[in-house]
Amino acid sequence: MTARSGSFWDYLGRLAAGLAAEGCGCGAVLPDVDGGLLFALRDAAGRRHVARLRPSGGENRERGPSFERGTAPPAMIRRLRRAFLRFAARNPHPLLDHRGQDIGEILLRRGGELPEIWREELVPGTTRWSSFVLEELVPQSGALYATFRDGERRVRLRLTDREDPRLAGAERVLPVGNLALSLVEDDRTPPVRPADQVERFLAYLVARTTGPRTRIRGDGATSPSVTSYGGEVELNPFLPEGRQGASGMAAALSSRRGSRLKVVVFGDASCRQTFPPLRRLPLFDSWSCFPVGTAPEPGGWVAYDFSERDVIGGAERRLERLLRALRRRDPAVRIALVQTCVSRLIGDDVRGVLRKVLDDDAFVVLDPDFQAKDWAVDALVWPWVLRAFRRPVRQRRNLVNLVGLGGRGAPWAAELAGLLRDCGIGVNARLFPSFREEELERFDAAPLTVASRCSIVRSAFAGVDRTAGPSRWVTLDPPFGIEGTRRWVEGVVREIGGGPLRGAARDRLERACRARRRDLAPIRAALRGASIALVAQSRFSAWIFDPAEIFGIRILDLLTELGLEVEIFLHRDVPPPRELVRAVEGRGDVTFRTFDEAGALREALAASRSRLLLTSIRRNTPALALGKIPVFVQTFEPGLDGAVRSARRLAAGARFRFLERYGRYMRR
Amino acid sequence: MTARSFAIYGKGGSGKSTIAAALSSAFADLGLRVLHIGCDPKADSSRPLLRRGRVRSVMGEAMTTRLLDASSVLVRGVKGITCVEAGGPEPGVGCAGRGISRTFELLAELGVSLASYDVVVYDVLGDVVCGGFAVPMREGHARYVAVTVSGTGMSLFAANNILRAVRRFHRNGVRLAGLIGNYHTGEAFRDRVPRFAAATGTSVLVEIPFDPQVQKAEERRATILDWRPQGATARAVRRLASRLLDLDDPPPPKPLEAEAFERFLARPRKRRRTAR
Ligand SMILES: Nc1ncnc2c1ncn2[C@@H]1O[C@H](COP(=O)(O)OP(=O)(O)OP(=O)(O)O)[C@@H](O)[C@H]1O
Ligand SMILES: [Mg+2]
């Protein structure tokens, strides 16, 4: 009898029955992950015991079967031992053997044959553990991936060397000698019964068929990745794991289940051109250029990381494979392929390949030039995204699309929708910097699209022909701060044709604003007298006063609403921005001074009582050295609750005294 | 002792491969241990040095297997000459230049030591089209560069560009050995070659006339040296070999600037009338 002809699970069931028939009180036999066997026993008095047959491989090789008794009486174990040997002699099973002890190294070649040692034991379609059937076994990148399936449930395990760097982040790892099993995918609902513990079976099998010194090695090919970030991450077979782990945008680059749009970055995964669209990073991440919150947003980014092989031999074939795989997964897939420097240097015929696999309207090739500005990719991709998913739909009254306020998962999304609902307006679709396809499909159902007034949104949607679509496109100041949010809601109501907000709706909005002002009051009280410095050192840093450059935030209004006094330091040569002059006029909570050189600024800042400092520089060492707490534009969130949260952050910053004392040691 | 290394550059079709293979053969005849490296995606350089079969190119192997080992890309040819071909992508895809530079990295990774050879001969593709093809020079692999020319305007133009690359890499220890006049496309411009050498501060190492036996040798998969050992071409190649071995420290070349080059081509050639 071989493993091929019957499942080991069934065999162990028979073994347990056989042992029970011999009066051993054995209820079940289970494999242990180190190659041992566990026996569930019950003695005459009905007490439960567990005995363990040590794996007799490796060091124990010469000793023959030896049992760990546990709490069981010695006589019981002696009987068990005899009965077990008898049964095994009569019903041999290859997995009771220890083989492969002398194997030094298992070489896994990508696309190559499976190692001889498992030819018998691991047969896709045949090998089973209880109701799980081994579906697929693929060697890749120095690892062996085994997928077991039971109906809808799938478990994917990876066998690697124990030193494999991929194990660093893995959650469940079973060491087997020098090897290790880790869970890559798991659809089982916990707690997992032994009958479903395929990893137990596989670990046992590996332990019995390899030696304690066996190592596993691959030919360095690429492999599926398992990086996860904000959940729902799908395997991306086209990015070598090492790279994914290495780059901070690992997750952003892996494709997520459920999105029909895949943005294929064709070239180096860390190409800077791939950064700008990846705006679903955490709120305080230095790469985030947009306050999107930490909520996971649908992405669908597939980085096609070039290997040396691709650069020299061209990557067309591998691209075709990628496209076919994506298409197989979803016949309606939409591909935006972003070219990178390398891909253009080698000059692969990407359009030809795309056309071979996809219909013309299912893809777009984004060709930002070599020195692409940060928003070049956005300007290319967003109009297409809208075009690719928009469907002709009947228009419905009182629906609005929101552009530039994040997707459905943004922390403020529900609140804003609620405020509009109170005015009888429904949110139809949200777009930028993330989106859901089902929302885009019905984009045209809304007669009105409200975009945030800021340059990033303007650049991203510059190519959208706003008059062509049935949805009227208007631009409003985004809802930052309580006042700002109120104005925004009123603006939306006005634009949708409801005229000025009146009656019950108006009352509801006022009530909501009042409630938040009440929440804000104690924070404002805590902030009393605290102030924040805004510095424009040159013409180029005057952007902090320009709402268009900071997501539409009117920073002076917002800061004072949140309870801060503002000190402005302006270089003498910087003409005071109009916005600023208007805002400062006749206001006691805003002071204004000029300086003429860096030393003077430092002195002025040192003397100033502002503890906070608005900056765009992550490690603003001069500011830190002066004991200032850096505040970033990303600190501010839209919406009423967002305003309260922003104020809390500022208050926490103002309370933070550490830098005042120790900041000067952070000079470098 | 480290190997003496020579790279043959020159315009496409000017006879680099023909001469390089014959040269390797001549070196082997002198009892030297020779490594012959073809740095051309065509991977045709060592063909005449092998009686049968082909060298499996480094790139070809690297593309198809990940486990490259030296024995699969180093092949023994006639007279014990060791042959390597860089190879590269199919025409029209990928980056052949990167393939060449990768080859050199791989050879180093595979532990191919130049120290175990007396001479290394590099046969490089056409002009120096991009950085990749300059690798034999740039990385200090080849100490001496010889340039094949036929005397036609375009062959001198290519040579002049190669001289620029040599001058650039002079600081890395690269030296211009000189020009090889190869007149298989005709002798009409033969007189220009010594003049060009003089104008650029170099010399003509050897002059090879058209020799119908070269094609015959090619068809028999032999170098001209082994096909007609006593012919004039074989003698010329042997002369080339000994001159190359005698080289010491030639000064950096003085390639012509664009205008000067045009003037050079425009100057009337001396024996023009008599040649007609
Ligand atoms: N002296 C010669 N007499 C006759 N034929 C010659 C001579 N030198 C070269 N040839 C012929 O010229 C052709 C081109 O030569 P070869 O392949 O050596 O040039 P190459 O410079 O290596 O070309 P490529 O740049 O394409 O690699 C060959 O068919 C060769 O036989
Ligand atoms: Mg050639």
Side-chain angles (χ1 to χ4, degrees), chain A residues 278-299:
Chain A
L278 304 175
R279 298 226 164 78
R280 57 193 200 84
L281 297 169
L283 198 59
F284 295 105
D285 191 279
S286 58
W287 285 109
S288 71
C289 311
F290 204 87
V292 292
T294 49
E297 302 281 358

Side-chain angles (χ1 to χ4, degrees), chain B residues 13 15-18 40 42 44-45 123-126:
Chain B
K16 297 179 295 296
S17 303
T18 307
D40 185 328
K42 290 198 293 290
D44 60 351
S45 184
D123 171 20
V124 193
L125 164 144

Side-chain angles (χ1 to χ4, degrees), chain B residues 12-18 40 42 182 184 209-211 214-215 218:
Chain B
S14 61
K16 297 179 295 296
S17 303
T18 307
D40 185 328
K42 290 198 293 290
N182 185 23
H184 68 106
F210 170 79
D211 180 351
V214 168
Q215 263 84 25
E218 218 166 71

Side-chain angles (χ1 to χ4, degrees), chain A residues 323-393:
Chain A
L323 296 176
R324 289 202 190 281
L326 291 173
R327 211 200 139 139
R328 235 190 340 270
R329 223 182 264 172
D330 174 12
V333 69
R334 296 276 182 275
I335 305 268
L337 185 139
V338 187
Q339 293 260 44
T340 61
C341 304
V342 183
S343 72
R344 271 164 300 175
L345 277 177
I346 64 173
D348 274 348
D349 177 21
V350 292
R351 283 185 179 78
V353 176
L354 281 158
R355 225 170 265 131
K356 213 162 132 189
V357 183
L358 297 161
D359 296 334
D360 272 1
D361 57 355
F363 68 85
V364 63
V365 176
L366 308 174
D367 255 321
D369 65 52
F370 278 103
Q371 299 160 37
K373 293 286 170 293
D374 278 1
W375 297 337
V377 173
D378 289 283
L380 290 168
V381 79
W382 293 106
W384 176 80
V385 163
L386 201 50
R387 249 201 337 272
F389 291 106
R390 222 169 181 171
R391 293 276 166 280
V393 283

Side-chain angles (χ1 to χ4, degrees), chain A residues 240-283:
Chain A
E241 278 170 34
R243 286 304 290 275
Q244 238 181 24
S247 75
M249 51 182 193
L253 291 172
S254 41
S255 73
R256 264 171 107 255
R257 236 191 273 277
S259 174
R260 221 187 306 158
L261 171 73
K262 305 289 176 203
V263 179
V264 175
V265 178
F266 194 52
D268 193 273
S270 55
C271 172
R272 75 182 279 275
Q273 295 190 355
T274 67
F275 277 105
L278 304 175
R279 298 226 164 78
R280 57 193 200 84
L281 297 169
L283 198 59

Side-chain angles (χ1 to χ4, degrees), chain A residues 219-220 308-309 311-314, chain B residues 63 66 89 94-95 98-99 102:
Chain A
D219 57 3
E308 193 79 67
R309 221 190 275 220
V311 175
I312 299 167
Chain B
M63 300 279 191
R66 278 297 180 114
C95 180
R98 176 63 193 137
R102 184 70 190 133

